[in-house]
Amino acid sequence: MRYAMAVDTRKCVGCSDCVVACQTENNVPIGFCRDWIVEVTNGTYPQLEMELRSERCNQCVNAPCVRCCPTGASHIVDGGIVLVTHNECIGCGACMASCPYDARYPHPDGYVDKCTFCIHRIKNGLSPACVAVCPTKCLYFGDLHDPNSEVSVVLKKRKSKTLIPEAGTDPQLYFLI
Amino acid sequence: MEEELIVSGRMNQMIDPHLHIWHWQISLYLFLGGMAAGILAIAALYFIRGRENDYKTAVRITPFIAPFLLVIGLLALFIDLRHKLFFWQLYTNIKLQSPMSWGAWTLMVITPVSFVWCALHIKDIFPNWDWKYKWLYDLEAFFNKYKKALAWVMLIYAIILGIYTGILLSAFNARPLWNTSILGPLFLASGLSAGAAATLVLSKDSKERKQFARIDLVLIGIELFLIIHMFMGFLASTQVQIEAAQLFLGGQYTMSFWIFVVILGMLIPALLEIMELGKFHIPVVIPAVLVIFGSLMLRFIIVYAGQVSRWLY
Ligand code: SF4
Ligand code: SF4
């Protein structure tokens, strides 16, 4: 089992529905977010190209946040999802400093929080809230080890990239280009 | 290089646009830990080499500062934790891959050791000291009997502590400025140098002061070498590391780094110490205080600048 997500950068319109759905689903405190939209312009004028990306924790296989955590609060569960156990976290911020994607935030209650791929939903056979709500259906989710899962199929069909592969974190959030 | 302009983003407080999670508490903690490590390592080393009587201040008096430094440092660290009630989780886990974890355990060993070391020398400061209870006298006798072993433990853990203050940062691959193995030795040298400076201030014996001025000079030389080495490493590396180095070579932290850390904290005290050794009369407090100040600034600037440096994507 290896959960992964693919984001179609050509279909994403940057409406931020995924962000709002996540905030509602996961009770994310106001002013923070677990996923976000990045609008990027590449190239040199006049050859410019815009890309829209819905980003979140990359659920890295080689997760530096888990390695740096002194208490074991940050850990990897079956399916490769990186989670934080709230009452083991001391809020030292080591994981935030170690994440090259800045995917974590300090929850006002003290612990550090981040995207969980909506593990509570996928356990019940649902898709993550962001995936379920996306109006352009540009988010694909599933098990990479299952060749027939949505995410495996689309990754086979399309070209994709990951973010900062050179940081060596082996991210599992793919961007279809 | 292709430019990526992030136009719209997220609103992760304390992360965007720059990571701002570690403030003065962490810098102070790294400085105090480093200086305590320096003091204790020097004391242990001279004791083990049987030079206790030549360098009385370094072995017997200066270590009295160390427990204060360590306790204040721990306090600063505690203040920094956001989930304070769970701090004990640090001591129910041993995570070898997490520098913060082994830092916590190192402090757990060295703090009591530093207290014991002071207790063994308390009569040097308060000649009429009375332990009052017999078991305290027994304990003192016990530690006195195994003082050499104690000194070895202190030496080893002090060195680990000194290196750890640098490795804590260098383990963060996500912050290119920190991600260099030079930080460990650099912070160790800087801590030792601050420790030697403390003895320089406290010692009344001119032979001892000369020796510590010499030690400080060597350490400053090592630090300068390591700093040059660090920049060479950055500049020969990837784009993100080149950009990290540029924070100090024309960027945002250039002035503060070169003026406070290198010129005021290293070059001027080195010059003053050379003049002092060459028989000019200079109050030793000046170079010593400058060295300690430089060591503090080094931590502050590296901690803050590191959080500005990042991967581009
Ligand atoms: S994206 Fe960041 S928080 Fe998520 S697993 Fe990777 S390093 Fe950890
Ligand atoms: S803030 Fe919490 S989850 Fe992050 S490293 Fe510290 S203890 Fe672990």
Side-chain angles (χ1 to χ4, degrees), chain B residues 30-48 55-71 110 113-115 117-118 121 150-151 153-163 165 187-203 208 212 215-216 219 288 291-292 295 299:
Chain B
L30 294 180
F31 162 70
L32 295 173
M35 183 163 164
I39 291 173
L40 296 175
I42 291 172
L45 190 67
Y46 275 127
F47 177 81
I48 289 168
Y55 303 114
K56 278 205 186 79
T57 318
V59 176
R60 296 162 160 255
I61 309 295
T62 325
F64 276 87
I65 315 175
F68 290 100
L69 301 179
L70 290 173
V71 169
I110 194 119
V113 168
S114 77
F115 274 101
W117 191 263
C118 292
H121 297 113
L150 185 74
V153 172
M154 193 160 98
L155 178 64
I156 291 166
Y157 276 86
I159 291 175
I160 295 178
L161 177 63
I163 295 182
T165 58
F187 278 25
L188 175 66
S190 153
L192 284 167
S193 161
T199 296
L200 213 50
V201 175
L202 295 177
S203 177
E208 188 175 23
F212 276 85
I215 293 180
D216 222 19
L219 288 168
V291 161
I292 294 175
S295 171
R299 264 61 167 206

Side-chain angles (χ1 to χ4, degrees), chain B residues 283-305:
Chain B
V284 282
V285 188
I286 301 175
V289 168
L290 283 176
V291 161
I292 294 175
F293 171 76
S295 171
L296 176 69
M297 289 310 283
L298 175 70
R299 264 61 167 206
F300 264 88
I301 292 170
I302 298 276
V303 166
Y304 280 82

Side-chain angles (χ1 to χ4, degrees), chain A residues 56-60 63-65 82 98-101 103-104 114 169:
Chain A
R56 56 194 54 51
C57 166
N58 290 263
Q59 316 292 355
C60 307
C65 53
V82 176
S98 71
C99 172
Y101 309 97
R104 295 175 167 236
K114 64 181 265 303
T169 56

Side-chain angles (χ1 to χ4, degrees), chain A residues 24-54:
Chain A
T24 321
E25 174 73 30
N26 297 298
N27 254 321
V28 178
I30 296 194
F32 296 95
C33 55
R34 286 183 177 188
D35 59 347
W36 57 90
I37 302 294
V38 170
E39 188 182 313
V40 145
T41 310
N42 278 327
T44 327
Y45 183 83
Q47 253 108 45
L48 295 173
E49 207 177 76
M50 194 180 80
E51 183 174 288
L52 286 161
R53 294 196 298 251
S54 168

Side-chain angles (χ1 to χ4, degrees), chain A residues 65 68-71 73-74 84 88-96 104 112:
Chain A
C65 53
C68 280
C69 176
T71 67
S74 285
V84 184
E88 279 176 19
C89 171
I90 56 175
C92 63
C95 55
M96 288 163 62
R104 295 175 167 236
V112 167

Side-chain angles (χ1 to χ4, degrees), chain A residues 31 33 36 39 41-42 55 67-68 71 86-87 89-94 96-97 99 101-102 104 166-167, chain B residues 3-5 7-8 10-12 15 21-22 82-83 86 89 93 95 97-98 172-175 311 313:
Chain A
C33 55
W36 57 90
E39 188 182 313
T41 310
N42 278 327
E55 293 185 2
R67 234 179 302 132
C68 280
T71 67
H86 297 175
N87 52 14
C89 171
I90 56 175
C92 63
M96 288 163 62
C99 172
Y101 309 97
D102 292 341
R104 295 175 167 236
E166 62 274 29
Chain B
E3 258 192 273
E4 267 206 358
L5 301 170
V7 180
S8 83
R10 54 192 149 181
M11 47 221 165
N12 260 2
I15 294 186
I21 47 162
W22 284 351
R82 292 199 173 75
H83 225 193
F86 294 90
Q89 291 277 4
N93 289 282
K95 295 270 166 211
Q97 285 190 318
S98 163
F172 293 118
N173 169 339
R175 314 292 147 201
W311 288 82
Y313 80 99

Side-chain angles (χ1 to χ4, degrees), chain B residues 23-298:
Chain B
H23 304 278
W24 62 268
Q25 297 93 330
I26 294 291
S27 316
L28 184 71
Y29 160 67
L30 294 180
F31 162 70
L32 295 173
M35 183 163 164
I39 291 173
L40 296 175
I42 291 172
L45 190 67
Y46 275 127
F47 177 81
I48 289 168
R49 294 182 56 208
R51 307 295 293 275
E52 195 180 352
N53 293 326
D54 299 330
Y55 303 114
K56 278 205 186 79
T57 318
V59 176
R60 296 162 160 255
I61 309 295
T62 325
F64 276 87
I65 315 175
F68 290 100
L69 301 179
L70 290 173
V71 169
I72 298 172
L74 277 170
L75 217 64
L77 185 66
F78 181 71
I79 292 173
D80 173 71
L81 296 184
R82 292 199 173 75
H83 225 193
K84 295 188 175 52
L85 288 179
F86 294 90
F87 81 94
W88 50 269
Q89 291 277 4
L90 274 174
Y91 294 107
T92 51
N93 289 282
I94 297 183
K95 295 270 166 211
L96 285 182
Q97 285 190 318
S98 163
M100 207 175 264
S101 175
W102 51 275
W105 285 102
T106 305
L107 282 164
M108 190 72 152
V109 175
I110 194 119
T111 312
V113 168
S114 77
F115 274 101
V116 171
W117 191 263
C118 292
L120 292 183
H121 297 113
I122 198 146
K123 292 198 178 102
D124 289 306
I125 293 194
F126 304 104
N128 299 323
W129 184 267
D130 179 8
W131 285 114
K132 286 210 173 67
Y133 301 100
K134 185 174 174 301
W135 65 274
L136 283 175
Y137 276 106
D138 291 347
L139 209 61
E140 187 188 21
F142 171 82
F143 279 117
N144 259 323
K145 198 164 139 212
Y146 294 104
K147 202 166 164 191
K148 198 131 199 186
L150 185 74
W152 273 108
V153 172
M154 193 160 98
L155 178 64
I156 291 166
Y157 276 86
I159 291 175
I160 295 178
L161 177 63
I163 295 182
Y164 144 76
T165 58
I167 291 196
L168 172 70
L169 299 179
S170 67
F172 293 118
N173 169 339
R175 314 292 147 201
L177 179 73
W178 290 346
N179 191 14
T180 157
S181 49
I182 305 272
L183 281 190
L186 177 61
F187 278 25
L188 175 66
S190 153
L192 284 167
S193 161
T199 296
L200 213 50
V201 175
L202 295 177
S203 177
K204 300 207 168 49
D205 171 358
S206 70
K207 251 180 72 195
E208 188 175 23
R209 286 215 305 244
K210 276 226 168 73
Q211 172 71 0
F212 276 85
R214 256 183 248 125
I215 293 180
D216 222 19
L217 267 177
V218 172
L219 288 168
I220 289 176
I222 294 175
E223 282 180 80
L224 288 171
F225 169 78
L226 289 172
I227 287 175
I228 294 170
H229 203 41
M230 180 172 84
F231 281 113
M232 280 167 57
F234 279 141
L235 294 176
S237 190
T238 57
Q239 182 68 24
V240 283
Q241 292 204 303
I242 293 172
E243 280 179 26
Q246 276 163 357
L247 285 170
F248 291 164
L249 303 171
Q252 201 176 337
Y253 286 92
T254 311
M255 292 282 265
S256 46
F257 181 75
W258 295 100
I259 293 181
F260 292 133
V261 178
V262 177
I263 298 180
L264 279 179
M266 295 177 192
L267 295 179
I268 293 185
L271 199 72
L272 292 176
E273 275 160 8
I274 290 172
M275 285 165 72
E276 165 87 19
L277 289 171
K279 314 255 181 312
F280 281 95
H281 206 68
I282 289 161
V284 282
V285 188
I286 301 175
V289 168
L290 283 176
V291 161
I292 294 175
F293 171 76
S295 171
L296 176 69
M297 289 310 283
L298 175 70

